[in-house]
Amino acid sequence: LAVLGNLSTRMLEATDSVVLNIIGNLVIVVFFVTLFAVCLMAFILMIKRFYSNLLTDEGYLMFTLPASVHGLVWSKIIVSLCWFIGTFLVAVLSVLIFSFHVSAISSFMAQMREAFQVLSGYITLDYAAVAAEIVVMALLAGVSLCLLFYASMAVGHTFTRHKILMSILFFMVFQIVVKVVGASLLALSQGFSFEITSPEDMMSAWHAVFGISVSIELVYSTALYFITTFALKKRLNLE
């Protein structure tokens, strides 16, 4: 679809035919709808596999395996992260194919080279360290996203009735708690500021923000992980 979408954009630029314009626009719409569906499917798989494997009749088998609850939960997290990463790479590749144009790519690369030359003239950033920090933050965000749904479902299934409804309810409760805590932390951070007068100050500010963000994400993920494993160990109700 990305290839067809690329050809469609070229066709739309080169023709005034009403029929071809309709076909070209339809292909483009289908491409973006399918791209959204692919991203959504990875998200649905993350929820579906945890629910089916651990919270339905399959749970009777899964919890008799020679594996701890921690191992079961981490297996779901790791597989979900692999799906997220694969989906992201496919989405990026698809968009690049869809938007590929030799002249546009050449112009973009020339502009990027100029930008890096300008930046390197007065900013000495450790690009490798910044890239590594962004990757770490993205992985932590993926883990916390998985654990938010896992904790909601695990707690919801400790009840004997309306388990899915209770899972949705606890999901909203966790979200409200996160919003309240986040707003409180944001209010507290208003008193802190960074005075940036040099490239070194910029790097220090970036690392400080990254360290604080990772610390908050780790605390958040740890709390959700504890809730998930505790519910699966002590309170799980598969009936």
Side-chain angles (χ1 to χ4, degrees):
L1 283 172
V3 173
L4 292 177
N6 185 291
L7 296 176
S8 297
T9 56
R10 296 169 184 264
M11 181 179 66
L12 291 174
E13 295 173 353
T15 183
D16 295 327
S17 171
V18 176
V19 175
L20 292 179
N21 279 325
I22 292 174
I23 295 174
N25 284 309
L26 183 62
V27 170
I28 293 172
V29 170
V30 171
F31 165 73
F32 283 105
V33 170
T34 307
L35 186 63
F36 173 77
V38 169
C39 297
L40 182 63
M41 184 55 64
F43 180 73
I44 293 174
L45 277 175
M46 178 265 292
I47 298 173
K48 178 69 167 59
R49 296 319 304 161
F50 183 87
Y51 171 77
S52 297
N53 287 163
L54 301 181
L55 302 177
T56 62
D57 290 342
E58 292 183 29
Y60 288 107
L61 174 61
M62 295 297 291
F63 286 107
T64 58
L65 295 175
S68 65
V69 170
H70 298 285
L72 295 175
V73 172
W74 271 108
S75 70
K76 301 303 175 190
I77 293 174
I78 292 170
V79 171
S80 295
L81 285 179
C82 291
W83 275 107
F84 291 159
I85 294 170
T87 301
F88 173 76
L89 295 176
V90 169
V92 170
L93 178 61
S94 299
V95 172
L96 289 176
I97 293 173
F98 175 83
S99 59
F100 178 78
H101 194 285
V102 174
S103 60
I105 295 296
S106 301
S107 176
F108 175 76
M109 294 303 295
Q111 293 175 0
M112 290 298 295
R113 282 194 297 269
E114 292 177 3
F116 278 115
Q117 288 174 357
V118 172
L119 288 173
S120 62
Y122 62 93
I123 297 179
T124 56
L125 296 179
D126 189 348
Y127 295 105
V130 172
E133 289 171 348
I134 292 173
V135 170
V136 169
M137 194 64 202
L139 291 175
L140 276 176
V143 171
S144 64
L145 176 66
C146 293
L147 287 171
L148 174 61
F149 284 90
Y150 294 170
S152 302
M153 289 187 286
V155 175
H157 281 70
T158 61
F159 294 85
T160 56
R161 300 179 62 186
H162 309 298
K163 296 181 179 181
I164 295 179
L165 181 61
M166 295 303 296
S167 298
I168 296 173
L169 177 62
F170 274 100
F171 175 82
M172 292 189 291
V173 169
F174 291 149
Q175 284 287 74
I176 292 172
V177 172
V178 170
K179 298 297 182 184
V180 170
V181 173
S184 301
L185 292 175
L186 183 61
L188 291 174
S189 67
Q190 297 299 318
F192 299 93
S193 62
F194 297 100
E195 184 178 353
I196 299 176
T197 58
S198 67
E200 290 74 17
D201 292 338
M202 181 176 292
M203 278 302 293
S204 298
W206 166 263
H207 289 306
V209 171
F210 170 77
I212 294 171
S213 300
V214 167
S215 299
I216 293 173
E217 200 72 29
L218 282 173
V219 172
Y220 171 57
S221 299
T222 301
L224 291 174
Y225 181 81
F226 174 78
I227 293 171
T228 303
T229 53
F230 178 82
L232 292 177
K233 282 182 178 179
K234 305 295 185 180
R235 306 289 298 176
L236 183 62
N237 181 10
L238 294 177
E239 294 182 1

